Amino acid sequence: MRVIVQRVTQASVTINNKTYNEIANGFLLLVGFTEGDGLAEIKYLVHKISKLRVFSDAEGKMNLSIGQVQGQILSISQFTLYAALKKGNRPSFTAAQNPEEAKKNYTMFNAALGQEGIIVRAGVFGADMQVILTNDGPVTIIYDTNDLK
């Protein structure tokens, strides 16, 4: 499982030229799954992301979590995080989890983040989406559970 976390001052997702969801201060998450990903990876990353201390405290140090600043999450499914680019110029996505399983995991991931007391807004799994964000800092963190194996 791969998640790109971007600290944002605002983010929105548009589908068919209409704003579908938006947040103010918080995280934009780009979320991808590979074969074999499931509950263990979801639990691990929900814990890491919900406790990630990258928001500024009163002294300007990155010391606060998203919950402590009452931030929100905009979660976007992103199978292209598993693009293979070693051969040729056209990416292969064979490492991405099959869509049926990935959709189930994406829904479970978002629900688990919500159970941490964080407001979670999402895009539409498999839709053609346009994502707009203002990266704050910029702060961008990449989690990959394959690094743990």
Side-chain angles (χ1 to χ4, degrees):
M1 184 174 171
R2 288 184 183 148
V3 178
I4 296 176
V5 179
Q6 295 179 306
R7 185 180 73 181
V8 298
T9 55
Q10 68 81 33
S12 64
V13 60
T14 300
I15 302 171
N16 295 325
N17 296 317
K18 293 182 183 160
T19 300
Y20 183 79
N21 255 324
E22 59 188 337
I23 64 164
N25 185 48
F27 289 147
L28 171 72
L29 304 181
L30 302 176
V31 183
F33 297 93
T34 191
E35 292 305 321
D37 285 344
L39 188 57
E41 290 78 12
I42 290 167
K43 283 183 174 182
Y44 175 79
L45 287 184
V46 164
H47 174 77
K48 295 300 279 183
I49 292 166
S50 65
K51 305 300 181 209
L52 180 63
R53 295 174 16 187
V54 294
F55 292 92
S56 297
D57 63 14
E59 297 176 8
K61 295 184 180 182
M62 290 196 302
N63 199 29
L64 301 175
S65 70
I66 191 166
Q68 291 172 302
V69 299
Q70 298 167 342
Q72 300 177 348
I73 288 176
L74 179 59
S75 174
I76 305 294
S77 61
Q78 188 82 30
F79 75 93
T80 60
L81 292 178
Y82 281 97
L85 301 164
K86 197 169 189 177
K87 295 181 181 178
N89 295 314
R90 183 174 182 266
S92 168
F93 302 107
T94 58
Q97 194 169 52
N98 75 70
E100 184 178 294
E101 190 72 16
K103 183 176 183 179
K104 182 181 92 174
N105 282 331
Y106 176 65
T107 300
M108 193 170 18
F109 174 70
N110 291 336
L113 283 168
Q115 290 173 352
E116 294 294 315
I118 304 165
I119 293 172
V120 179
R121 309 226 188 276
V124 174
F125 185 91
D128 183 10
M129 298 175 276
Q130 290 70 50
V131 179
I132 300 170
L133 68 129
T134 303
N135 193 323
D136 184 22
V139 173
T140 303
I141 308 290
I142 301 172
Y143 286 110
D144 189 334
T145 58
N146 291 329
D147 294 341
L148 306 173
K149 297 174 184 174

